[in-house]
Amino acid sequence: MSLNARLSKDAAALALGADAVAAALADAAARAERPLTLTRTGSRGMVWLEPLLEIETPSGWLAYGPMTAADAAAVLKAAANGAAHPLALGPVEAIPFFKRQTRLTFARCGTVDPDSLDAYVTAGGLKGLERAIALGPDGILEEVTRSGLRGRGGAGFPAGIKWQGAAKAGAAQKYIVCNADEGDSGTYADRMLMEGDPFLLIEGMIVAGIATGATHGYIYIRSEYPHALAAMRRAVAAAQENGLLGPKVMGSDHAFDLEVRSGAGSYVCGEETALLESIEGTRGLVRAKPPLPVHSGLFGAPTVINNVLTLAAVPTILEKGAEFYANFGSGKSRGTMPIQLAGDVKFGGLFETAFGVTLGELVDGIGGGTRSGRPVRAVQVGGPLGAYFPRVLFDTPFDYEAFTAKGGLIGHGGIVVFNDSVDMAEQARFAMEFCAEESCGKCTPCRIGSKRGQELIDHIISKDNAASDIAILRELCDVMKSGSLCALGGFVPYPVLSALDHFPQDFDRR
Amino acid sequence: MPPAAELWNEARAREIAETFANTKGGLLPALLAIQSAFGHVPGEAVVLLAEVFNVSRAEVHGAVTFYRDFRERPAGRHVLKLCRAEACQAAGSVSVAEVAKRRLKLGWDETDSEGNWTLEPVFCLGLCACGPAGMLDGTPLARLDGARIEKLIDGAAE
């Protein structure tokens, strides 16, 4: 009897040896003369269990992990005979980390062949687009606005309002731009989605195009994600061949086409106006706003720029309705957020859940504390421009407003766990160093301030006159916060000031 | 081993550049394609791209020097990228980088005189739940430690 199995080809699984496991499985199946159909999928998001193998058995799909090539033959034999194996995990849906999630955006990721449009449709894809075509632009705008969907890239701006702005703009050419320049350390949800369910993003972008009257879209993916770039390019080509993209989307009167563009190693190009400059082929210098991109964006045309997760949430909203989506969440943060647990964390991975779960529950409960076994000392939420939170703030609920109230930001939903060996003065210094490295150079507070900030923290670390240097550093942070053109210089004070406020002892080197 | 870069050939470079001449914002894709073919963006390419895209050399040079990915000189036969960002720091990347620097006798962004190795920092590969992460000749690496990085370096050098 032939066995059906699936194994991730997500970059994280590959880095953990998935290709060697795949080769060993093929070899073991051939030796045992047991035909094996192995589908390479995206990741289920439980990175500590990767490479994760799922095998179809009479009692459903059963998971095994973390796999090594040496385990392949024994696992295949056990699965075929219904026998026990030390790596057996049971059904993925029963693993506590997975069971506790609300998977809307990532419902399909890890279960389908990301290269196959047929597989996407068989697994329920394109239903949101079908309904969107039936509703028309006004109906789509109404649904997206009522769903309460906010930009998942970090700023949390209501997607429906942004789309309405572009829809109202009178112009012959408008654009939809997907920001897939996921540069924040500790975040990988965009990468996982593009590698595991790329057609979902394409579907969301087409819906955005129909709603706003834009006929062309760009997906700007950072070059550090070669696997996501390749997966997205394959998916766009397949969508073009099958008439999903082109002059008549799914046979309707709507035209929409897409191009995938690669970044070239610049963090600031994740800032929306720098990203537009980069697509235009120049240095990624931040633009002053106004004009807002919805009025004058890419090549001067009205442009909607949304993050991958924002656009990927749209098909669910259209398929199931605004109320369905808005029923998840807390306060003004509606729907689900794919939270990413990273750093020194025992159960690292992607955890999609409704807004409102506390930080402590995420780190200690779901994340299981540190992988190293040392105590958790701090977490950085929201990437390199996010604040460091000490344990005393672990009761903060994960939503946009609650984090802002505590001097932080949820950003793109990444949580980096640090153990008690972390030196917070070094972390503050790194934040400034990173800003100096990545600053586009256009505005003075960011360009000069980050360099001076780095020097000041060097002084503090070398014990020179710490008290007066700390006062100057705080003043500098204030200038950068209010005087910088974009979020790079404007938000780098978050990690620096939170380190100073919550971990002052680390700055006292006497 | 990564695919060997072609030697600089102006006709070939022009052919590549002209593929993007009618693409809106085609300069960046053209630069990426030139680097992919020749392994770096030599000075001759800057002159050629300025002509094909009808922009000043300063604009092309500006783009080449703004983006971290572009190299003005060829890289070593092996390129090791190690993540320096926070999630990997939390998992111990600083000491892994120290080991790699000692083994290769290189600092960040340096290539050895024989042209065997280039060591580059990278700010996040999206492998943040299995750090310290890196990439050796395009292959992603996870859960690096000192012993493993030494083994990878010695293995690739053979």
Side-chain angles (χ1 to χ4, degrees):
Chain A
M1 197 186 79
S2 170
L3 273 184
N4 285 323
R6 51 197 188 208
L7 177 73
S8 172
K9 59 173 175 177
D10 176 277
L14 295 179
L16 292 164
D19 278 350
V21 172
L25 284 167
D27 188 52
R31 279 168 197 271
E33 293 179 6
R34 185 181 285 125
L36 173 75
T37 309
L38 182 67
T39 306
R40 300 300 296 270
T41 63
S43 172
R44 294 282 221 157
M46 293 172 288
V47 178
W48 81 97
L49 294 176
E50 293 285 5
L52 181 78
L53 176 71
E54 287 181 81
I55 301 179
E56 193 175 21
T57 71
S59 43
W61 286 87
L62 298 179
Y64 298 84
M67 288 286 294
T68 68
D71 300 313
V75 164
L76 278 185
K77 196 173 165 197
N81 300 333
H85 189 278
L87 294 182
L89 299 160
V92 161
E93 290 72 16
I95 297 172
F97 184 94
F98 197 92
K99 199 177 173 184
R100 296 181 62 181
Q101 300 186 47
T102 306
R103 288 229 167 178
L104 303 181
T105 301
F106 282 84
R108 212 179 283 103
C109 190
T111 66
V112 293
D113 174 2
D115 295 339
S116 165
L117 182 55
D118 285 345
Y120 179 68
V121 176
T122 307
L126 300 186
K127 287 194 183 129
L129 177 58
E130 276 168 26
R131 180 153 175 266
I133 291 171
L135 282 174
D138 291 341
I140 301 171
L141 292 172
E142 167 82 20
E143 286 285 318
V144 174
T145 308
R146 275 197 301 129
S147 74
L149 175 66
R150 292 169 69 177
R152 297 285 187 260
F157 189 82
I161 309 286
K162 191 183 270 187
W163 289 19
Q164 284 173 20
K168 276 186 216 138
Q173 180 69 64
K174 300 178 194 175
Y175 295 103
I176 305 295
V177 171
C178 172
N179 184 345
D181 196 63
E182 184 181 52
D184 289 353
S185 174
T187 66
Y188 44 86
D190 295 356
R191 181 185 63 67
M192 251 184 73
L193 188 102
M194 291 187 287
E195 293 178 12
D197 199 9
F199 293 105
L200 183 69
L201 175 58
I202 294 175
E203 185 180 349
M205 290 186 74
I206 299 172
V207 174
I210 295 173
T212 56
T215 53
H216 199 90
Y218 290 91
I219 308 174
Y220 183 92
I221 306 173
R222 58 203 300 265
S223 62
E224 291 85 347
Y225 284 2
H227 301 89
L229 269 160
M232 225 44 244
R233 285 189 166 129
R234 287 193 297 266
V236 166
Q240 286 166 336
E241 278 161 28
N242 288 282
L244 181 58
L245 290 170
K248 287 188 170 295
V249 168
M250 289 181 91
S252 72
D253 292 334
H254 300 284
F256 193 77
D257 210 349
L258 269 178
E259 271 180 66
V260 174
R261 285 289 173 91
S262 169
S266 158
Y267 175 79
V268 79
C269 286
E271 195 282 333
E272 60 179 12
T273 61
L275 188 151
L276 296 179
E277 290 286 329
S278 191
I279 295 178
E280 291 182 12
T282 60
R283 300 157 69 195
L285 290 190
V286 173
R287 297 176 184 171
K289 290 190 270 195
L292 294 172
V294 287
H295 299 130
S296 176
L298 188 62
F299 305 112
T303 304
V304 166
I305 310 173
N306 280 140
N307 171 257
V308 172
L309 300 179
T310 317
L311 291 161
V314 167
T316 307
I317 293 167
L318 268 295
E319 182 195 340
K320 305 207 166 144
E323 286 71 26
F324 170 83
Y325 194 77
N327 274 337
F328 298 98
S330 74
K332 287 186 208 159
S333 305
R334 309 313 312 175
T336 59
M337 183 75 190
I339 292 165
Q340 301 125 80
L341 297 167
D344 186 8
V345 62
K346 193 171 180 190
F347 304 128
L350 181 133
F351 190 88
E352 181 173 354
T353 186
F355 287 98
V357 54
T358 65
L359 185 57
E361 181 55 26
L362 286 165
V363 174
D364 298 324
I366 291 149
T370 62
R371 183 179 157 84
S372 64
R374 301 179 73 123
V376 175
R377 180 155 189 244
V379 295
Q380 187 179 29
V381 184
L385 308 175
Y388 285 97
F389 275 30
R391 291 206 74 100
V392 293
L393 293 178
F394 275 20
D395 59 347
T396 312
F398 205 86
D399 80 34
Y400 293 103
E401 278 72 26
F403 263 70
T404 309
K406 299 278 173 73
L409 49 112
I410 65 171
H412 191 50
I415 299 178
V416 177
V417 180
F418 288 83
N419 65 40
D420 62 347
S421 69
V422 68
D423 177 342
M424 295 308 297
E426 286 292 345
Q427 295 310 120
R429 184 196 179 279
F430 178 80
M432 285 293 190
E433 181 193 352
F434 179 72
C435 182
E437 174 82 22
E438 298 293 337
S439 176
C440 83
K442 185 158 176 170
C443 75
T444 317
C446 175
R447 184 184 67 243
I448 309 279
S450 54
K451 196 72 200 165
R452 292 292 98 90
Q454 190 184 323
E455 292 163 1
L456 273 167
I457 302 173
D458 277 338
H459 264 219
I460 294 165
I461 290 175
S462 66
K463 293 183 257 190
D464 282 350
N465 204 10
S468 70
D469 280 340
I470 286 172
I472 300 171
L473 180 62
R474 285 186 179 277
E475 207 173 304
L476 173 71
C477 283
D478 189 43
V479 170
M480 291 180 74
K481 233 178 180 176
S482 38
S484 298
L485 197 52
C486 82
L488 178 51
F491 284 13
V492 79
Y494 279 99
V496 176
L497 292 173
S498 59
L500 271 170
D501 290 339
H502 301 307
F503 306 93
Q505 64 275 32
D506 288 22
F507 292 82
D508 186 355
R509 302 289 178 141
R510 280 163 300 174
Chain B
M1 279 298 279
E6 299 169 42
L7 286 176
W8 173 252
N9 171 332
E10 183 163 339
R12 171 93 178 99
R14 184 175 294 276
E15 192 189 322
I16 293 169
E18 282 175 352
T19 341
F20 298 98
N22 295 318
T23 304
K24 279 189 133 185
L27 179 59
L28 199 57
L31 278 167
L32 287 162
I34 293 271
Q35 169 141 315
S36 160
F38 302 107
H40 68 298
V41 182
E44 295 96 317
V46 173
V47 178
L48 183 122
L49 287 164
E51 184 207 315
V52 171
F53 286 90
N54 194 25
V55 293
S56 71
R57 287 180 198 181
E59 278 167 276
V60 182
H61 177 76
V64 171
T65 50
F66 181 86
Y67 295 98
R68 155 167 287 283
D69 286 1
F70 297 126
R71 300 191 179 96
E72 296 179 86
R73 279 176 295 282
R77 276 179 281 279
H78 297 289
V79 177
L80 177 63
K81 293 175 189 254
L82 292 175
C83 180
R84 283 198 62 203
E86 289 88 343
C88 285
Q89 291 170 15
S93 65
V94 175
S95 62
V96 173
E98 289 311 315
V99 172
K101 285 176 181 174
R102 269 204 308 274
R103 195 68 160 195
L104 295 170
K105 299 189 180 69
L106 292 175
W108 293 124
D109 286 314
E110 286 180 2
T111 300
D112 62 63
S113 52
E114 290 86 36
N116 283 324
W117 283 95
T118 296
L119 179 65
E120 291 181 343
V122 60
F123 292 96
C124 196
L125 294 161
L127 305 174
C128 320
C130 48
M135 204 173 249
L136 176 58
D137 298 334
T139 301
L141 309 168
R143 294 207 187 113
L144 291 170
D145 57 33
R148 178 124 182 273
I149 202 74
E150 286 188 342
K151 215 171 137 193
L152 282 162
I153 289 169
D154 296 348
E158 275 165 19

